[in-house]
Amino acid sequence: MQKRPFATSEKLHEITQEIPTPYHLYDERGIRTTARGLLNAFAWNAGYREYYAVKACPNPFILKILKEEGCGVDCASMAELMLAEACGFSGDEIMFSSNETPGEEYEYARRLNVNINLDDITHIPFLAEHGGIPERICLRYNPGGELRIGSTCMGQPGASKYGMTKQQIFSAVGQLMAMGVKQFALHAFLASNTIENDYYPTNARVLFDLAAELHAALGADFYMINLSGGVGIPYRPEERMPDIQKIGAAVQRAFEEALVPAGLGHVRIATELGRYMTGPNGCLVATAIHKKHIYKEYVGLDACAANLMRPAMYGAYHHITVAGKEDALCDHVYDVVGSLCENNDKFAIDRALPRIDIGDLIVIHDTGAHGFSMGYNYNGRLRSAEVLLREDGSFQMIRRAETVRDYFATFDFCGVMDGVLARAEK
């Protein structure tokens, strides 16, 4: 089975004439279509909001598209809060879900009056000291153990560093009510990149039941249940995209069964689906620049793990298309590799592909989330450009590629690189 890139071979060659590879390419039409489908699936909930996880793709052009579609943003650092503010998000449009949070970041979040999601009970006095306790606050829950759906283990919350135990949640709500909090929200991230339709409704029921129990026992009122992320994408061609309409309907049933009878029918639902929203709507485009024939057949690209680290870090599968050879027989087996001095710098191992020639454009699929954003500068490799394919077929560079001056910029206080850079740029 094969995947088709969202851009034709002709369009990729057109872009590459102006913007050299490697670059990350994003599909505006796909992003907007995905956002509209998600919002439709949860339209039954009057206050529903998608808080797009900025960490998935922290580019203001992408964030502004999502804002136009009615989404908010989920931030986890000062820089992400600043980016959200610069893109016009404010107040309730922003979730701040961080952990091991510095005091100045809480203070900044309080100045923006965003939704703060506390990861630990010890953060209550810390937040009180750094910014103050708001009248509305969210608490992150970790139920521990395994998350199972039928006989399938979906995740290991008990092994996760995030969130509070049930006992701590009850204690935190009591403390915060005494400190003047009037309304609460709950949040949980129990499994990652699940393509099964049952995950979100299961997570929802865990949170709905906890909210109902807290309401009954402590009189706590709730304004939001945030289902966080976890709904994944089909990286492999034989996998299917989760059915977001079925997922939304199943969450609605759980809502009506658990929250409405508890007197919490006013609670709004939130999600943080970074990977689902933009993952399939991005790709990394590179050029084959070397072929090596030793004990295996290798194809070397002008991209490396510094441009996409998921395969090296997790052994993650990303589908690969050779542009212009989409229908060619996959009768060659290659390791597709980058230039880092690390043997795990491999985009694919023993991958059946068409014959690859030097100069071929290589499309690595599903990099629209946790692709560019996880890049780094090991070996002095520079981060690539980002390009947006507009709905009308035009394209726009939305982040230029790094230069060596960017790489050495933090030495600007000592002048140590000035002469070298000046000579290199002549």
Side-chain angles (χ1 to χ4, degrees), residues 355-369:
R355 173 187 169 86
I356 296 177
D357 298 302
I358 301 301
D360 279 347
L361 290 183
I362 307 299
V363 179
I364 303 176
H365 292 247
D366 301 313
T367 70

Side-chain angles (χ1 to χ4, degrees), residues 379-393:
N379 265 171
R381 296 298 173 186
L382 305 176
R383 292 179 178 87
S384 65
E386 292 182 289
V387 183
L388 181 63
L389 180 61
R390 292 290 191 183
E391 289 186 288
D392 63 4

